[in-house]
Amino acid sequence: MVPKIRRGSRTYGLLVYLYGPGKRDEHTDPHLVGSWDGFAPDPGRDTSPDPDPKAALARLAAVLDLRVKQAGTSAPIQHVWHCSVRTDPGDRTLSDGEWHTVARRLLHAVNLAPEGDPDGCRWVAVRHADDHIHILATMVRGDLRRPRMNYDFKKAQAECRRIEKEMGLRQLHPGDGTAAKAPTSAERFKTERTGRPEPPRETLREAVRQALAGAATENEFFTRLRDAGLRVEVRLAPSGDALGYNVALPGDRNRDGQPIWYPGSKLAPDLSLPKIRHRLTTAEPGQETTTASSHGAGHPDWSRPARARRAATTVAEHTLALLNPTNDEAAAQLVGAGELLDALAQTSPGVTRAELRAAARSFERATRSHVRAEQADTRAVRSAARGIVQAGNALGRGEDGGATAMLLSTLVLVTVAAARWHSARGHAQQAEAARQAAAHLRTAYQQTAAMPLRALRDQGRALPDAQRKSHEATLRAVLSEPSVRAGGTTGKNDALIATLAQLERAGHDPEALLRQAIDMRELDTAENMNDVIVWRLRRIAQLPAHPGKPLRRPQVHTPTSRTSRVPKTGPSVVLPHPAVADQDRRTPRR
């Protein structure tokens, strides 16, 4: 049950809308379900011989405004309190009597018409649809004083939560005032009228978040906004310093032909310029941090997007370790994880981009709460996001696809840990948003990991029986220990066996690396523990994420070989230009 509160000054005008056909003829059978004394005239059920709708509306407006006129200049200018209350689409249809009860309880909760108070404000509740009512009250009491109505929205929300529980309706999560502002009715109607896929406010919010992902300076942030095709207006002080900024979509204009500007703070609480500046300077100078922007790490055959994603996976593992339910500093890491998702969403191939965008949008709600991290250092995770953006778009196949699956496997655990962190603090909306992000990431992971895991399973099944049995014995010895979740070996182990065999060929100790991968982090939240272990092993040992094409290795000299052939180096692949220019980037090795 969702209450929406507004204030106005035109009682008659609001009644005309409530009893009218609506903007799209959606109002059916408008009528009163309750009033302050039970005897208010109902324009929708006028039984007079010659009903006059306008006169009936005028009579109702007059009785509602009686005390307002009596109070004269002491009455508030915005004297109309308007609250619409809507049930969830999956809820049962409430009767008129139940809606009357809802209206009385809400008016009592916000102190407009307390139960048993003969001087309460005058009000009516109008129903013109099955799933909601409108409550109209005039904010002057019978003793001609103004009602005390501090925090009416929060009180109405709390009462709705109690009503949901008592009436058997879907129980929604209480808010904490940190959510982004939803599009207004006018914005939604204009979106439908113009054929846009979504309101401009939501499009701009996503574009600003993506421009901020990994940005190093304020100027770079504004440059990214302009490069994304947005109109940008920076508000300057007399000194020339930026005070704030506005953004607008090209072609989105008002009736006067002027661009419709949105300040950053109206898109989301954390997108104001002061909040952005704080994010850009969160890291403490002089503190050593693992950087993820080194594109030269890894095998030279791997593309820059693949290397950036591998580096980001290492940082995501570190972020996962910091998401301890008792650690308030983890709030900053959630913001960094959101930037990582935004960077990944804008550089991934089309097959997974929709799911990753949905994951980033959902997780955006999980990055905001009233918990403030004062000492957290987010340079590593922001550097990882920057590296992904600068590396450019990744392909959905080969090493790019495998490295993306490796990163997504870890990000699923990060979002699940974020849900646990918020749940421990009672942040119901943020926890639900993190769980939704995890669901989208799992879908994207399954789409991305299908090809590399299939190749690994084929390689595992092709191993000689003796070698398979040896690695199966290692798995049984390690995965059956009490420190590993029971039942974690369900399903086929072919991909994991193939990885252990490749570790052995590369000169590693498979059992030691297997224990290291398991001890890195808990695995209880993993849907497929084997997949997580596979990606951890391949990242630790620098094995290719997509094993379909073996890496070039120099031939090892043996006593029986007098010469060794050096494989020829093919022409370098021309990579797409990165999304953001970087003057310090070195030319890729050839």
Side-chain angles (χ1 to χ4, degrees):
M1 183 173 287
V2 181
K4 186 175 182 181
I5 297 174
R6 287 153 289 189
R7 300 192 183 189
S9 59
R10 298 178 62 247
T11 305
Y12 179 78
L14 178 56
L15 288 174
V16 168
Y17 167 73
L18 297 180
Y19 279 94
K23 296 183 178 180
R24 293 171 294 177
D25 295 326
E26 71 274 17
H27 295 176
T28 59
D29 186 24
H31 61 278
L32 290 185
V33 296
S35 64
W36 73 96
D37 61 357
F39 297 103
D42 185 357
R45 300 288 170 88
D46 191 351
T47 58
S48 61
D50 187 15
D52 184 350
K54 291 185 178 180
L57 288 172
R59 286 194 299 270
L60 180 57
V63 294
L64 283 169
D65 281 340
L66 176 62
R67 291 170 176 170
V68 177
K69 293 181 179 179
Q70 290 174 343
T73 57
S74 62
I77 297 177
Q78 299 278 328
H79 66 270
V80 177
W81 187 84
H82 175 207
C83 176
S84 60
V85 192
R86 188 180 301 272
T87 55
D88 186 77
D91 285 334
R92 62 183 177 85
T93 301
L94 301 185
S95 65
D96 284 356
E98 288 175 315
W99 277 121
H100 181 209
T101 301
V102 170
R104 294 186 69 90
R105 290 184 60 170
L106 287 175
L107 289 161
H108 173 79
V110 301
N111 202 40
L112 270 170
E115 293 290 340
D117 184 356
D119 288 329
C121 297
R122 295 191 170 193
W123 62 273
V124 292
V126 181
R127 182 179 189 179
H128 54 213
D130 289 338
D131 62 346
H132 71 279
I133 61 170
H134 292 261
I135 305 171
L136 185 161
T138 49
M139 298 169 58
V140 177
R141 291 170 45 83
D143 53 14
L144 303 186
R145 293 184 303 166
R146 299 185 184 187
R148 295 181 178 179
M149 296 183 58
N150 296 330
Y151 308 107
D152 56 337
F153 178 74
K154 290 186 177 180
K155 292 176 181 177
Q157 285 274 12
E159 188 63 24
C160 281
R161 302 293 83 78
R162 290 188 285 267
I163 293 172
E164 290 164 354
K165 186 175 182 180
E166 295 175 17
M167 290 190 172
L169 305 176
R170 180 189 174 191
Q171 297 184 39
L172 303 182
H173 302 304
D176 60 0
T178 61
K181 184 177 180 179
T184 64
S185 298
E187 291 173 355
R188 291 196 300 270
F189 291 143
K190 182 179 179 181
T191 299
E192 295 179 7
R193 190 170 64 251
T194 57
R196 290 183 181 273
E198 63 183 2
R201 183 186 300 273
E202 297 183 354
T203 304
L204 289 170
R205 184 185 303 128
E206 181 179 30
V208 172
R209 285 200 336 264
Q210 290 187 353
L212 184 56
T217 64
E218 190 175 312
N219 289 335
E220 181 183 354
F221 166 65
F222 288 132
T223 299
R224 287 188 182 185
L225 287 178
R226 295 185 178 95
D227 289 345
L230 303 184
R231 303 172 72 98
V232 182
E233 180 184 71
V234 181
R235 301 191 301 274
L236 300 176
S239 62
D241 297 329
L243 295 176
Y245 70 99
N246 300 325
V247 289
L249 283 180
D252 185 26
R253 298 179 178 273
N254 58 22
R255 65 181 63 183
D256 298 324
Q258 299 298 318
I260 300 179
W261 297 100
Y262 292 84
S265 59
K266 298 300 182 182
L267 297 177
D270 57 340
L271 293 182
S272 65
L273 188 57
K275 295 290 182 64
I276 288 174
R277 284 172 175 164
H278 177 73
R279 188 186 301 191
L280 296 177
T281 59
T282 295
E284 296 179 359
Q287 189 174 357
E288 293 185 2
T289 309
T290 303
T291 179
S293 61
S294 175
H295 300 307
H299 198 279
D301 276 0
W302 297 339
S303 66
R304 291 186 58 182
R307 283 178 276 166
R309 281 158 169 71
R310 278 179 167 267
T313 305
T314 302
V315 176
E317 283 278 4
H318 179 66
T319 300
L320 182 59
L322 297 176
L323 292 178
N324 188 310
T326 62
N327 180 20
D328 284 348
E329 300 302 314
Q333 303 300 325
L334 294 178
V335 176
E339 290 196 31
L340 202 56
L341 282 174
D342 285 323
L344 197 60
Q346 60 185 301
T347 59
S348 293
V351 66
T352 57
R353 185 165 296 184
E355 289 294 339
L356 291 176
R357 285 183 62 188
R361 285 193 170 193
S362 296
F363 195 75
E364 180 252 359
R365 180 68 185 95
T367 62
R368 291 191 303 273
S369 69
H370 288 302
V371 179
R372 292 290 177 263
E374 303 296 338
Q375 304 298 326
D377 184 353
T378 60
R379 284 180 296 179
V381 68
R382 297 199 75 250
S383 177
R386 181 178 180 81
I388 288 176
V389 172
Q390 290 184 332
N393 293 333
L395 301 175
R397 58 184 184 274
E399 190 63 24
D400 283 10
T404 301
M406 182 183 291
L407 176 56
L408 290 177
S409 175
T410 304
L411 288 177
V412 169
L413 300 182
V414 170
T415 52
V416 172
R420 287 184 169 184
W421 187 87
H422 281 300
S423 295
R425 285 161 173 75
H427 304 162
Q429 289 188 354
Q430 290 90 332
E432 178 61 24
R435 284 189 285 268
Q436 292 177 3
H440 289 297
L441 286 175
R442 286 191 179 102
T443 302
Y445 168 76
Q446 292 166 2
Q447 295 170 343
T448 307
M451 291 181 62
L453 287 179
R454 187 184 305 118
L456 277 173
R457 294 188 188 104
D458 292 342
Q459 292 179 6
R461 286 190 290 267
L463 290 173
D465 289 342
Q467 195 173 359
R468 277 186 60 88
K469 290 180 179 179
S470 173
H471 294 306
E472 287 173 351
T474 300
L475 289 178
R476 284 194 299 270
V478 177
L479 298 183
S480 62
E481 295 178 356
S483 60
V484 182
R485 180 185 60 179
T489 60
T490 56
K492 296 184 178 181
N493 294 328
D494 293 330
L496 189 49
I497 289 173
T499 299
L500 293 179
Q502 293 170 14
L503 291 174
E504 190 174 52
R505 286 199 299 270
H508 298 287
D509 182 348
E511 182 174 347
L513 283 186
L514 180 60
R515 294 183 186 277
Q516 179 183 344
I518 292 173
D519 293 340
M520 286 176 62
R521 212 76 63 231
E522 57 85 21
L523 294 166
D524 291 339
T525 55
E527 278 196 343
N528 191 318
M529 188 183 72
N530 285 0
D531 283 10
V532 177
I533 296 175
V534 164
W535 298 122
R536 286 181 181 176
L537 288 172
R538 304 191 77 82
R539 181 172 56 79
I540 293 171
Q542 290 291 298
L543 294 178
H546 193 293
K549 183 179 179 181
L551 296 175
R552 300 192 304 269
R553 295 195 187 93
Q555 186 173 347
V556 179
H557 288 277
T558 62
T560 57
S561 63
R562 296 183 180 179
T563 61
S564 57
R565 297 181 180 179
V566 179
K568 297 181 179 179
T569 303
S572 298
V573 178
V574 179
L575 297 173
H577 291 291
V580 179
D582 184 358
Q583 300 295 333
D584 298 330
R585 193 180 67 232
R586 293 182 297 178
T587 304
R589 296 175 58 184
R590 297 182 178 271

